[in-house]
Amino acid sequence: MREYSIAAIPADGIGPEVIAAGITVLESLQRRAGDVKFNIESFDWGSDYYKRHGIMMPVDGLAQLKRFDAIFFGAVGAPDVPDHITLWGLRLPICQGFDQYANVRPTKILPGIQSPLHGVGPGDLDWVIVRENSEGEYSGHGGRAHRGFPEEVGTEVAIFTRVGVTRIMRYAFKLAQARPRKLLTVVTKSNAQRHGMVMWDEIAAEVATEFPDVTWDKMLVDAMTVRMTLKPKSLDTIVATNLHADILSDLAGALAGSLGVAPTANIDPERRFPSMFEPIHGSAFDITGKGIANPVATFWTAAQMLDHLGEPDASARLMRAVEKVTGAGIMTPDVGGTATTKDVTNAVVEAILSSNV
C-alpha cells in the first residue's frame, strides 16, 4: 500500500467547496486503485482565521506543513480583508517558505468546452506556462515613505538573480524537452526593462545550449498576448517572470473557456519541501455558497499532484474521467452548462469507478 499525507487548506470563498469536491474525487481514486491511500488533514487557515486571530495562519504554520507530501490549496481572498494581507499572509509565505520556485500552469481546451477563439477546439490549444515563482516582480522588496504627504513615494523592486533565473529556465527547457513538440517560448520585456530582463534573456540563451533538441524563441510580453489569441497553435511550453506569467496564465485560462478549468502546481523541483497544488480561479465570492463553482480546475490540480507524487496512472485516470464528463456536457454555468458542483463531482466519481476509464 502506497500512502501519501496531504494537507488540505480550503481557505476562502469557493475554496472549501472545490477542495471538498477534490477530496471526494481522490477518495474515489483510492477505492478504484485499491493499493494507494491518501491521508488528508484539513487546516482552517484563511480570512476567517485572520478575523479571529489577526493572522492568516499560525506562526508555526510552515513547520506544521513541512511533514506532508503535498498541499492541496483552495483559494485565498475576501472582500472585507485587504488582498495584500490575504496573499502575503498565507499563500506567498508557503510558496516562498518552501522554495516552490516553479509554478506550472497547463492549459488545454477540454472536450465539450467552447473556446472564445474562433475555429479553435480541443487539440488546437495545448500549452504549459512555467512561471518563476520565487522572485521577480513579486519579491516583496520596496517600501513607502512620507505617507499622506504630496511627496509620498512607493517603491516595488523587481529582483532577478542568476540562480533564480537559471533554475527556472532549466526547469522550463527540461519540461519542453519532455513534451512531444520540444518547443519553448521565453517571454521577456527587455526592450523596456534593460537590466533584470536583459539578464533574463542572456541566461535563457546560455541554458538553451544545454538542450540542443529544444527549439526556442523569444517574445515580448505584449506581443505574446497577440500571439496567444491569434496563433495559439504556434505555442507549446512557455516560461515567463512571476508577474508576466501570472497575467498570461489567466489569459490562457480564459482562452481555454474559463478560469474554472485552470489548474496550478507550485513545485519545489528538488523535493526538499512539500509542493502545493491549487486551482487558478481565486475565491470567487460572487458565487460562493451557490453550489455552482466549477470543480474541474481542482480535479486537474489533483491530477498534477498525483503526477508529482509518482502516481501517473491515477492522474491519467482522473483526467480521462474529467474529459468524459465535460464531453458529455455535464458542466457548470461558467462554461455554458447547467450542472452544479455536486453534479459534476458525482459524474467524475462515477466515471472513475466505471470499468472503461
Side-chain angles (χ1 to χ4, degrees):
M1 179 72 71
R2 301 181 302 281
E3 294 193 27
Y4 303 100
S5 58
I6 298 171
I9 308 177
D12 303 334
I14 62 172
E17 300 172 47
V18 295
I19 290 299
I23 291 172
T24 297
V25 163
L26 286 173
E27 290 171 345
S28 70
L29 287 166
Q30 178 176 289
R31 293 200 302 274
R32 172 68 189 270
D35 59 353
V36 62
K37 183 177 182 182
F38 303 109
N39 299 308
I40 302 172
E41 182 177 342
S42 292
F43 295 82
D44 66 345
W45 306 341
S47 294
D48 287 341
Y49 188 93
Y50 174 82
K51 294 170 192 175
R52 296 193 304 269
H53 303 285
I55 50 177
M56 292 289 290
M57 66 176 176
V59 293
D60 66 340
L62 293 184
Q64 292 188 46
L65 294 175
K66 191 174 181 179
R67 62 185 172 86
F68 288 89
D69 296 312
I71 302 166
F72 202 21
F73 192 89
V76 68
D80 54 352
V81 180
D83 287 341
H84 68 278
I85 289 177
T86 57
L87 187 63
W88 282 97
L90 185 57
R91 184 187 174 277
L92 287 182
I94 295 173
C95 289
Q96 294 188 351
F98 288 152
D99 203 17
Q100 298 165 348
Y101 65 83
N103 179 283
V104 183
R105 299 187 172 191
T107 304
K108 65 179 178 180
I109 301 172
L110 298 175
I113 294 179
Q114 182 66 48
S115 168
L117 295 176
H118 178 70
V120 174
D124 294 330
L125 190 160
D126 187 357
W127 306 332
V128 178
I129 297 178
V130 177
R131 168 185 174 186
E132 200 293 312
N133 207 34
S134 66
E135 53 179 42
E137 306 88 348
Y138 294 173
S139 299
H141 283 259
R144 291 172 65 181
H146 312 300
R147 289 175 181 256
F149 290 94
E151 64 270 25
E152 181 173 0
V153 60
T155 60
E156 198 75 47
V157 181
I159 295 178
F160 298 92
T161 67
R162 175 162 287 275
V163 168
V165 177
T166 301
R167 66 184 185 177
I168 200 63
M169 287 297 173
R170 191 166 284 129
Y171 184 93
F173 271 95
K174 284 181 180 178
L175 181 59
Q177 187 181 52
R179 286 168 60 83
R181 295 177 66 186
K182 299 184 186 300
L183 173 64
L184 177 67
T185 298
V186 177
V187 177
T188 183
K189 191 58 181 170
S190 51
N191 60 337
Q193 294 176 291
R194 58 196 177 99
H195 302 300
M197 292 260 62
V198 170
M199 187 176 81
W200 173 273
D201 291 352
E202 292 171 354
I203 294 174
E206 292 170 11
V207 174
T209 63
E210 302 173 19
F211 300 88
D213 57 334
V214 174
T215 301
W216 74 287
D217 59 8
K218 185 174 67 174
M219 289 290 295
L220 296 176
V221 65
D222 41 350
M224 187 65 174
T225 63
V226 178
R227 183 173 170 184
M228 289 170 69
T229 52
L230 299 184
K231 298 181 179 179
K233 297 179 186 179
S234 72
L235 296 164
D236 186 79
T237 310
I238 300 161
V239 62
T241 70
N242 217 329
L243 172 64
H244 293 166
D246 190 10
I247 296 168
L248 293 178
S249 58
D250 274 19
L251 173 59
L255 295 178
S258 171
L259 290 184
V261 301
T264 308
N266 301 286
I267 302 293
D268 165 28
E270 282 74 44
R271 297 177 181 267
R272 299 156 296 173
F273 307 104
S275 294
M276 182 165 67
F277 303 84
E278 59 176 323
I280 200 175
H281 49 58
S283 52
F285 268 84
D286 56 324
I287 60 169
T288 298
K290 296 182 179 180
I292 57 171
N294 194 336
V296 167
T298 305
F299 299 158
W300 197 345
T301 294
Q304 286 186 285
M305 181 170 66
L306 291 166
D307 278 327
H308 182 74
L309 292 173
E311 296 292 338
D313 291 342
S315 174
R317 179 173 291 123
L318 172 53
M319 289 309 298
R320 288 196 300 270
V322 168
E323 293 186 5
K324 179 179 180 181
V325 168
T326 60
I330 305 172
M331 301 180 292
T332 47
D334 61 301
V335 284
T338 59
T340 64
T341 307
K342 187 175 181 181
D343 292 335
V344 176
T345 303
N346 289 343
V348 170
V349 167
E350 182 179 349
I352 288 170
L353 296 178
S354 67
S355 58
N356 60 348
V357 167

